[in-house]
Amino acid sequence: MFEDVKNRLRGSIAPIITPFDTEMEVDTGTLKSLIDWHIDSGSHGVSVCGTTGEPSSLSIEERELVMETAIRAARKRVPVMPGTGSANQKETLHLTKRAQEMGADAALVIVPYYNKPNQQALYNHFKTVANSVDIPIIVYNIPGRTGVNLEVKTLARLAEDCPNIIGVKESNKDFEHVNRVLLNCGRDFLLYSGIELLCYPMLAIGGAGHISATACVAPKEVADLYNYWKAGEVDKALDLHYKLMPLNDVLFKETNPGPLKAAMGMIGKIHPAMRPPMEMPSGKLYDEIKETLKTYGYLESINQ
């Protein structure tokens, strides 16, 4: 079941930022341009309203707007995997059903944050969400943001009991944990890295790809990391892994997506803005981001 979708959902699934205009409203025109840029640059898919998309700063109506804009802009050229989860199950169910109605290829559903459910509660939550729709569900485990880790045994129960739970985005620095995901859920279970420095290592253990925020600045390179690996050009993949490391590091010196949005503003892709209480980086970090982009040649075309 879902074999065709599983094949299409491999590679670099770029987590798109939510652009705001000068009035701090969602800038749908820029969002459409970003989708086109990612597709032209080789991203294998796109995701909106994940962590990088600032969903906690958006209303439910705005999240629906972002999802619909992305799905329409993609025009089936690549799969779209919107983030539909929240700390509120009713909201999660609503957004996941809306994603299905809009034609999303899959839904990325985060472990509920702040309220820290136990493992049985997490199982019940994800099973309820999965049973409410027919589209594939990718579980999103990011314990550094949610305050709770979805344990491998819980995920394995979900994979066995819910046929449309077909994968997981692991923003989990515990590499032993992510190895055990494929051991317990099966090696055809889609495992994505959400940790930039683990994108390459996860491919080596059988991962399906990555959902890396760095793709928002370097979509071609992050896609090529997967392409090289798939083509068996391991040395090229490894070289690219290390080449991207300084960029990965600087983009996460403050909470994502602040440094990322600053970088995207520098390369002329967006009006760089975050909604309060989050703020854009400034001072020393701003300068460091700019200098890092220069070393990669990303500012040459706009004379910065």
Side-chain angles (χ1 to χ4, degrees):
M1 187 177 292
F2 300 114
E3 288 307 313
D4 180 59
V5 177
K6 282 186 175 183
N7 289 331
R8 293 183 65 230
L9 287 174
R10 295 179 181 274
S12 173
I13 311 297
I16 311 298
I17 59 99
T18 299
F20 299 120
D21 61 24
T22 55
E23 302 299 319
M24 296 301 289
E25 297 298 323
V26 174
D27 185 345
T28 55
T30 296
L31 179 57
K32 293 174 186 176
S33 296
L34 291 174
I35 299 290
D36 286 337
W37 179 52
H38 274 279
I39 294 172
D40 291 343
S41 299
S43 292
H44 304 97
V46 295
S47 179
V48 292
C49 295
T51 301
T52 303
E54 297 175 77
S56 59
S57 295
L58 303 175
S59 67
I60 297 299
E61 293 74 19
E62 286 174 324
R63 290 183 67 171
E64 291 186 56
L65 173 63
V66 171
M67 290 193 302
E68 185 172 24
T69 300
I71 291 166
R72 287 186 174 182
R75 302 196 310 276
K76 298 295 182 181
R77 291 174 290 171
V78 297
V80 181
M81 184 198 299
T84 60
S86 80
N88 180 308
Q89 188 178 87
K90 185 176 180 180
E91 289 180 357
T92 302
L93 290 169
H94 171 79
L95 287 168
T96 307
K97 290 175 183 177
R98 289 291 291 128
Q100 175 172 290
E101 292 167 0
M102 292 174 186
D105 296 272
L108 181 68
V109 183
I110 195 169
V111 169
Y113 39 85
Y114 184 75
N115 41 34
K116 300 177 70 173
N118 63 31
Q119 294 300 306
Q120 184 60 43
L122 289 173
Y123 171 85
N124 293 338
H125 172 72
F126 280 107
K127 186 174 182 179
T128 297
V129 175
N131 288 345
S132 74
V133 293
D134 297 321
I135 59 173
I137 300 295
I138 305 297
V139 175
Y140 182 11
N141 189 31
I142 179 168
R145 292 267 193 166
T146 63
V148 63
N149 184 44
L150 182 68
E151 295 177 3
V152 172
K153 288 183 179 179
T154 306
L155 183 60
R157 286 178 65 200
L158 288 166
E160 181 176 357
D161 296 345
C162 305
N164 61 330
I165 293 182
I166 64 170
V168 61
K169 175 186 177 182
E170 283 285 356
S171 292
N172 195 325
K173 294 184 178 181
D174 183 347
F175 199 59
E176 181 176 333
H177 170 101
V178 297
N179 275 267
R180 295 189 184 281
V181 166
L182 292 183
L183 176 66
N184 287 271
C185 296
R187 288 169 61 181
D188 63 340
F189 197 68
L190 301 181
L191 171 66
Y192 303 95
S193 176
I195 299 291
E196 277 59 31
L197 296 191
L198 294 184
C199 290
Y200 175 85
M202 280 204 201
L203 292 174
I205 65 169
H210 31 263
I211 305 175
S212 166
T214 303
C216 290
V217 175
K220 182 181 185 302
E221 290 84 350
V222 175
D224 279 346
L225 182 64
Y226 176 83
N227 294 335
Y228 287 142
W229 177 264
K230 184 179 180 183
E233 298 183 86
V234 177
D235 288 343
K236 287 185 178 180
L238 187 57
D239 288 345
L240 191 49
H241 166 73
Y242 284 109
K243 178 183 177 181
L244 288 169
M245 195 175 294
L247 181 61
N248 293 331
D249 288 346
V250 78
L251 292 179
F252 285 86
K253 287 203 168 182
E254 285 186 3
T255 304
N256 182 48
L260 180 62
K261 279 193 157 183
M264 294 180 70
M266 292 175 196
I267 64 175
K269 292 298 179 182
I270 65 168
H271 167 68
M274 297 180 72
R275 284 180 172 170
M278 301 303 292
E279 292 185 354
M280 300 294 296
S282 59
K284 183 179 179 180
L285 178 55
Y286 183 91
D287 293 339
E288 187 176 351
I289 295 168
K290 192 170 185 178
E291 289 304 311
T292 302
L293 294 177
K294 285 181 180 178
T295 67
Y296 285 87
Y298 295 152
L299 300 183
E300 292 176 359
S301 61
I302 53 177
N303 298 316
Q304 289 200 37

